[in-house]
Amino acid sequence: MAISRRTLLIAAGAGGGLAIGWAVWPRRRALVWSAGEGEQLINAFVKIGADGRVTVAVPQAEMGQGIWSGLAQIVADELGADWRTVAVEPAPLGPDYANKGMMADQIEHMSDTMRRIAAWGGGRMVEFFDFQITGGSTSMRGFEAPLRAAGAAGREMLCRAAARRWSVDWEDCDTAGGFVIHKANRIAFADIAAEAKLEDAPAEPTLREKPVLVGKPVLRIDIPAKTDGSARFGADVRLPGMMYAAIRQSPIGATRKTVDKRALPATARLVEGPDFIAVVADGWYAAKTALDTVTVNYAPAVKPAGPWLEAGLMAALDTKGDTVRDDGDVAATLESGAGISAEYTLPFLAHACLEPMTATARFENGKCEVWAPTQSASIAAWAVARALDIDSDDVTIFPTLLGGGFGRKVEKDACEQAAIIAKAVGRPVQLIWSREEDFAHDMWRPAVAARLRGVAGDRGVTGWDAVIAAPDVGSSFTGRNIPIAGGDPKTSAGAIEGSVHLPYDIANIRVAHALADCPVPLGFWRSVGHSFSAFITESFVDELAAAAKVDPGSFRLAMLKDKPRHAAVLRAALKAGGPLGQVAPGVGRGVALSECFGSIVAQVAEVSIVKDQAPRVTRVWVAVDCGRVINPDSVRAQMESGVIYGLTAALHGRVTFADGMAQQGNFDSHPLLTMAETPEIAVTIIASEAPAGGVGEPGTPPIAPAVANALFAAGGGRRRQLPLLAAS
C-alpha cells in the first residue's frame, strides 16, 4: 500500500472540513499546510473537519516525549475543543513552523537589550530558512505562545460567527467541549465552522485566564497506536515496488580504495556512495547477506581514532585553556584558604537508540520524497538536495514516529544515503542500518576531562577555579549539517555549557575551556554539555561541602539565597529523599542540582553497597520546576526517562576507539539499564508561574553526580571517573 501524507496522520478525521484561521502572522505569508479533499485551509495550526474533528499541525518530532499531545493540548485548551476529537498532523516545512525556541539558551545570559535584538534577528533567520528542528527541550518553549494564540484566535472566530447567528454580543459567548455556548444556546464547532471561516482573525486574540485542559493529565494521542502496533515508525513505511538496502560505511577518516564484488549474488545490486557501499535486494536480510560477500579495501586515516583521544584531554588541561568567565579575585582567594583540588573524566558515549538509523526514499522526475524518523526535516531536506544536486523545494520529507532520538536523529546521514541509493537503482528504497553499523557510526557525545580547585567555608564556596577540556560539539555538528554556517572548532562558553553559569552565588570564580583535538564526529546527546558539566560541578560542590564539614544540602542552600526557585526545588528533593549522607551501614544518599533548558531539577539518589556485589541504586527522588505545566503525566514520565537514560550512562556507558573504529558494537558491550537495575523513582512537580521550560533533557544531568555523591556517603569512596561501575 502506498504511504501518503494522509496515511501518516495520527487519528486524522475522515470527510471534508475547513480551517479556522487567525492573523497573528502577516497575511502575505502563504500557508504551506496542505488541505485534504473538501478542506479549506486558512490557518497555520488549526483545522476543523465536517465531523467536528480538530486537527492540529505539530512542527515537532514525536520520539516518546509526548510532544504531539502536549502541543495539541495547548491548542485544544484555548479553542475549547473536546480532547476526544483532537488529532495531530506533522507540519510541513514552512516559516510558521520554524523553531524560534532554539534561540532561548543562546541568548539567555545576554543583557536585556542584546537579548531582545538577538531574539528578533535569530527568529527572523530561522523563519527565513524554515528551520524546523526538535532539540534542546525547546518544543514547549518555542511553540507554547504561538499555539495558544492560534487556539484563542480560532475560539474568538467561532464565538463571533455563533453570536452573529444568535444576534447576541460575541463577548458573552464561550467555547467548551467542542461547542460554542451562550446561555442555553449551544452549537457544535462543525456546524458553525463554515461561518467562522468568514470572520476576520483577531490580530491579538485574548487568552484564557483559567485553563481547562492545560495542567491536567490527558490521554496521549500517540499511545493507542503504539499499544496496538499500528503506529508507524521509520521501518514501517511501505511503498509500491520498494526494495531494501543494507549499508557499510568507511571507518572514521578512512578512504575507500577498492571494492571486490565478484561474490555478490545476481539478485542483488551494489551502490557505491561517497563514503559508503550499499547492497539493494528484495528484502533487508537478503541485502545484508549479500553485503557480507563484498570486500572493501580502505586507506586508513592519517591519525586513526584511538586511545590517544582521551589521553589528549589531559594534555589539553595542561594548557589551562581560554578563560570564558572570571569574576572576583580567584587567585588571592585560593592562596588565602585551605583549598582542595580534583580531576574528573568522562568517556565518549553513543546514543544507543533502540531504533537504528533508517530512511525510505523515492526519486522520480527530478523530485525526491523521503520518509524518516527525523528530528529535523529541514536539515534532512537540505542534505538530500545537496546530495542529488536538486533544489530543496524538490525534496519532501515525511516525518514518522521515532524509536528514540536523543539528538542522534537530528543528523541527516540516513536520509541522504537512502536518497542516493534510490536514485541509483531507480526504485523506492528503504535503508536500515544494522545494529553494528549504528554503533560504529554514531555522532558521539565527546569525552571530557576537568581540573578544579576550590575553597569553601561553612556558608558555601568562596573560590572556584575550573579548567574543562572538551572538543567543540557545535562546530562538529554545524560543519557536517549546516556547512553554510561554518564549523571551525573554537573555545567558547557554549562548548562547556552548564560549567560556566552556575546556580550558586560564588563571588570568586574562574572557568576556562581547553579545546581538545577530536577527529571523531560529535553530536548532540541528551542534555548536551549539561550531561558532563553537572557531573563535574555537582561532584566538586559535594567535595567542597565535605572539606568544610557541612551537610551537602545545607551547603548548597546557603549559596541559593537569591535564587528562590532553585532553593524551593532543592528543598523539595531533600524533603522527599530524607537525610543525606550514610543513613544505614552501606547505604548512602547524595544530592545534585541542575538548571538547564529553562527548568530546574534536583535529585536525591540512594545507593546500597553490599560486599562482593556491584553497588546498586535503589531509589531516586526528583523535584522539578519546569514552569507552566501542560501535562503533569508527561513531566513525570520525562523525569523518569531522564533518570534512566542518565543512569545507564553513569553506570555503564563508555565508547573507546582503536584503529579508527569504535570498540563497542552492540548492547552486549554498551549495555542499557536493566529493569532489575532500575531504581524506584518518585517525582515532585513544583507549582510555578514561570514560562514553560523543557522536560525532555533536564532530568538527565543530575543523576550521575547524585549517585556518585551517594556512593561516597555509603563508604564507596569518591568516584571522579565515569562510568561509575568501572571503578567498583
Side-chain angles (χ1 to χ4, degrees):
M1 176 181 177
I3 303 300
S4 66
R5 173 173 289 278
R6 294 291 292 176
T7 56
L8 283 175
L9 307 189
I10 303 302
L18 65 91
I20 299 305
W22 63 298
V24 172
W25 287 298
R27 279 288 186 178
R28 67 177 181 273
R29 175 176 292 168
L31 294 173
V32 296
W33 190 16
S34 60
E37 184 179 353
E39 292 178 335
Q40 301 175 36
L41 183 63
I42 57 173
N43 183 311
F45 286 107
V46 182
K47 291 193 295 189
I48 297 178
D51 59 354
R53 188 178 300 275
V54 174
T55 304
V56 179
V58 179
Q60 299 297 91
E62 177 59 71
M63 45 190 166
Q65 81 278 39
I67 202 59
W68 277 6
S69 295
L71 295 181
Q73 191 172 348
I74 294 169
V75 173
D77 192 52
E78 289 290 347
L79 189 66
D82 181 343
W83 182 248
R84 295 170 297 179
T85 68
V86 176
V88 298
E89 180 177 344
L93 290 178
D96 292 332
Y97 312 113
N99 187 355
K100 297 180 186 178
M102 293 301 294
M103 299 298 300
D105 296 318
Q106 283 70 34
I107 66 177
E108 179 183 3
H109 298 288
M110 294 180 180
S111 66
D112 289 343
T113 300
M114 289 303 298
R115 186 162 57 246
R116 286 194 293 270
I117 293 173
W120 181 87
R124 294 299 180 271
M125 183 69 72
V126 298
E127 284 184 336
F128 180 79
F129 286 107
D130 298 343
F131 192 38
Q132 192 170 312
I133 187 171
T134 304
S137 288
T138 57
S139 295
M140 285 299 174
R141 293 188 289 164
F143 288 99
E144 183 192 21
L147 286 171
R148 288 192 72 187
R155 181 185 75 243
E156 185 168 323
M157 294 170 71
L158 286 163
C159 288
R160 285 181 181 274
R164 196 180 305 279
R165 180 182 292 190
W166 294 328
S167 298
V168 300
D169 187 343
W170 76 268
E171 293 183 315
D172 292 334
C173 299
D174 200 357
T175 58
F179 290 86
V180 183
I181 301 170
H182 177 265
K183 297 182 179 179
N185 296 317
R186 292 165 61 88
I187 187 168
F189 285 0
D191 296 333
I192 197 65
E195 296 168 50
K197 167 194 173 183
L198 303 177
E199 299 290 333
D200 290 334
E204 297 183 4
T206 302
L207 304 179
R208 288 193 187 276
E209 294 183 2
K210 294 183 179 180
V212 177
L213 291 174
V214 165
K216 298 179 175 61
V218 298
L219 177 66
R220 275 176 45 173
I221 292 173
D222 58 319
I223 294 300
K226 289 178 177 177
T227 302
D228 66 21
S230 63
R232 294 186 185 275
F233 291 84
D236 294 322
V237 174
R238 296 292 181 268
L239 300 175
M242 189 179 82
M243 302 186 74
Y244 297 82
I247 194 169
R248 185 191 306 161
Q249 298 168 86
S250 304
I252 301 167
T255 303
R256 186 174 67 240
K257 292 176 65 179
T258 61
V259 178
D260 183 351
K261 60 177 182 179
R262 287 174 294 180
L264 186 71
T267 54
R269 179 170 173 181
L270 179 71
V271 176
E272 296 187 35
D275 57 359
F276 69 86
I277 64 167
V279 169
V280 180
D282 289 335
W284 187 84
Y285 181 75
K288 178 63 170 66
T289 302
L291 178 64
D292 291 339
T293 69
V294 180
T295 302
V296 184
N297 184 30
Y298 298 99
V302 175
K303 192 177 182 181
W308 66 268
L309 287 170
E310 294 182 350
L313 292 170
M314 306 312 295
L317 283 180
D318 292 336
T319 69
K320 302 189 184 304
D322 291 338
T323 300
V324 295
R325 181 181 180 185
D326 193 356
D327 296 347
D329 192 340
V330 176
T333 305
L334 293 176
E335 291 173 3
S336 64
I340 64 170
S341 61
E343 289 184 353
Y344 301 90
T345 59
L346 300 92
F348 288 95
L349 291 176
H351 292 82
C353 304
L354 285 181
E355 174 196 43
M357 298 298 287
T358 181
T360 303
R362 177 168 57 195
F363 182 80
E364 293 178 345
N365 303 318
K367 298 180 184 295
C368 189
E369 298 170 291
V370 178
W371 290 258
T374 177
Q375 290 178 241
S376 179
S378 300
I379 290 175
W382 300 338
V384 169
R386 286 195 304 269
L388 302 183
D389 194 23
I390 61 177
D391 193 281
S392 59
D393 289 341
D394 292 327
V395 179
T396 303
I397 305 295
F398 298 100
T400 67
L401 293 169
L402 282 69
F406 315 122
R408 178 61 181 95
K409 289 172 184 169
V410 76
E411 303 281 347
K412 44 77 174 177
D413 38 3
C415 295
E416 184 179 50
Q417 293 161 350
I420 292 171
I421 299 167
K423 182 179 181 181
V425 301
R427 296 269 296 275
V429 170
Q430 183 172 98
L431 168 67
I432 303 176
W433 291 17
S434 67
R435 181 67 64 192
E436 289 74 17
E437 197 70 22
D438 200 63
F439 270 98
H441 293 279
D442 205 332
M443 308 297 177
W444 290 274
R445 201 288 304 272
V448 178
R451 182 176 295 150
L452 290 89
R453 296 183 299 153
V455 178
D458 58 1
R459 303 300 297 168
V461 179
T462 56
W464 180 283
D465 186 27
V467 181
I468 296 138
D472 184 358
V473 175
S475 68
S476 181
F477 173 85
T478 302
R480 185 171 60 248
N481 291 288
I482 317 175
I484 192 174
D488 294 330
K490 56 186 178 295
T491 55
S492 69
I496 54 171
E497 62 179 355
S499 301
V500 182
H501 300 284
L502 306 183
Y504 306 113
D505 181 14
I506 303 174
N508 305 289
I509 178 170
R510 179 171 58 206
V511 182
H513 172 214
L515 183 64
D517 180 29
C518 185
V520 170
L522 306 174
F524 299 128
W525 190 88
R526 191 173 188 174
S527 73
V528 201
H530 297 276
S531 69
F532 56 79
S533 291
F535 175 69
I536 295 165
T537 59
E538 284 298 290
S539 294
F540 195 57
V541 167
D542 222 66
E543 294 204 45
L544 287 166
K549 295 181 171 56
V550 179
D551 173 78
S554 301
F555 187 77
R556 288 171 169 82
L557 285 170
M559 296 184 287
L560 296 173
K561 298 187 297 295
D562 299 325
K563 296 287 186 69
R565 286 183 69 195
H566 296 72
V569 172
L570 181 55
R571 287 193 181 97
L574 294 171
K575 179 180 179 181
L580 300 176
Q582 190 172 73
V583 296
V587 179
R589 293 186 191 138
V591 67
L593 174 70
S594 173
E595 177 186 9
C596 57
F597 307 106
S599 296
I600 305 162
V601 178
Q603 295 176 3
V604 173
E606 182 178 272
V607 173
S608 174
I609 299 178
V610 178
K611 187 177 180 180
D612 298 328
Q613 296 182 23
R616 183 165 179 264
V617 183
T618 54
R619 290 188 289 181
V620 176
W621 295 269
V622 181
V624 55
D625 180 345
C626 59
R628 173 179 158 100
V629 173
I630 306 303
N631 187 333
D633 279 357
S634 291
V635 174
R636 290 189 182 91
Q638 282 305 290
M639 289 300 109
E640 294 166 352
S641 168
V643 167
I644 293 170
Y645 193 79
L647 192 56
T648 295
L651 298 180
H652 304 298
R654 185 177 186 185
V655 172
T656 56
F657 295 90
D659 300 323
M661 294 292 291
Q663 299 302 288
Q664 290 71 29
N666 212 316
F667 290 120
D668 59 339
S669 52
H670 194 284
L672 302 180
L673 198 72
T674 65
M675 291 186 69
E677 292 177 294
T678 302
E680 296 180 22
I681 304 172
V683 179
T684 300
I685 302 173
I686 307 297
S688 177
E689 296 300 319
V695 296
E697 298 178 274
T700 296
I703 188 62
V707 171
N709 296 337
L711 279 166
F712 173 76
R718 185 64 72 179
R719 309 293 178 94
R720 301 188 179 103
Q721 177 181 349
L722 293 182
L724 295 170
L725 292 189
S728 298

